[in-house]
Amino acid sequence: MTAGSESIPGLDALPAGMTLRRPAGSDHPRLQVALAEWWGGQGGAAGALQRQLLVPRLFLQHFAETSCLVERADGTLHAFLIGFLSQTEPKAAYIHFVGVHPEGQRSGVGSALYHRFFDTVRALDRTQVRCITSPTNHNSIAYHTRMGFRLEPGDHVDDHGVPVHRDYDGPGLDRVSFVRDL
């Protein structure tokens, strides 16, 4: 295992040779590369920049206890989950951003990271997890529904019947909101 890695019970879904560890500020540059490249060009250069801006270095510095990275045997980044405890809602936690390298998708690594987060925040007396996604990210909406998240009512329903919060993150930045009870 690499420095900072840890053996976590219940992460049997990690492929052989993978290690899990907490993120550090020094991981920021390669996380920024992943945010630009792993989404298959979704949104073009503007979409890549928008994803990169959503994960500034401070998340790796101040939310490391509830976040994690998965690295391959050669040390390259394979997956990550950035999450934190709500400061406003004492029983809630929030998953801010998750990514799995395209070659590792559908391998169970993402689900393992979610379940690790659920276990971590449950041990810290949290009973609810929240997250959001873009209404155009149909794969994310389907994934979160399969993971047991409920769609929260919005102020608009899109053509697919999905409740949307218009202008949630600013003008034209609509979001779909999810909640999962633990």
Side-chain angles (χ1 to χ4, degrees):
M1 285 195 223
T2 61
S5 65
E6 52 186 289
S7 176
I8 305 287
L11 278 185
D12 302 333
L14 284 181
M18 300 274 177
T19 57
L20 176 87
R21 70 173 177 85
R22 293 186 178 124
S26 60
D27 293 307
H28 191 251
R30 66 191 184 135
L31 188 59
Q32 292 293 293
V33 170
L35 290 162
E37 295 178 356
W38 289 4
W39 275 259
Q42 182 181 17
L49 178 59
Q50 193 176 82
R51 285 187 297 279
Q52 289 173 316
L53 292 173
L54 286 171
V55 187
R57 187 179 305 267
L58 71 89
F59 279 94
L60 308 179
Q61 295 168 321
H62 299 285
F63 301 113
E65 293 297 315
T66 51
S67 300
C68 55
L69 303 178
V70 175
E71 295 175 319
R72 297 178 182 162
D74 66 2
T76 59
L77 185 61
H78 184 74
F80 65 91
L81 181 147
I82 306 298
F84 54 88
L85 304 177
S86 173
Q87 298 295 303
T88 306
E89 298 179 36
K91 292 296 183 181
Y94 186 82
I95 295 176
H96 178 67
F97 219 108
V98 180
V100 177
H101 190 284
E103 294 172 4
Q105 292 177 0
R106 303 196 188 289
S107 68
V109 172
S111 295
L113 293 178
Y114 272 75
H115 286 288
R116 178 196 182 266
F117 184 79
F118 298 157
D119 291 345
T120 298
V121 301
R122 189 181 293 116
L124 296 168
D125 203 29
R126 302 301 166 123
T127 58
Q128 194 174 73
V129 176
R130 296 181 171 280
C131 59
I132 61 170
T133 195
S134 166
T136 60
N137 193 338
H138 302 290
N139 290 336
S140 178
I141 294 168
Y143 180 80
H144 284 91
T145 302
R146 286 192 310 273
M147 289 295 297
F149 284 88
R150 293 186 320 274
L151 293 161
E152 294 191 282
D155 57 13
H156 174 73
V157 176
D158 73 7
D159 294 339
H160 301 282
V162 174
V164 174
H165 298 261
R166 287 190 264 192
D167 299 331
Y168 182 93
D169 278 333
L173 299 173
D174 301 345
R175 299 292 181 255
V176 175
S177 181
F178 300 96
V179 63
R180 185 184 194 272
D181 294 321
L182 298 178

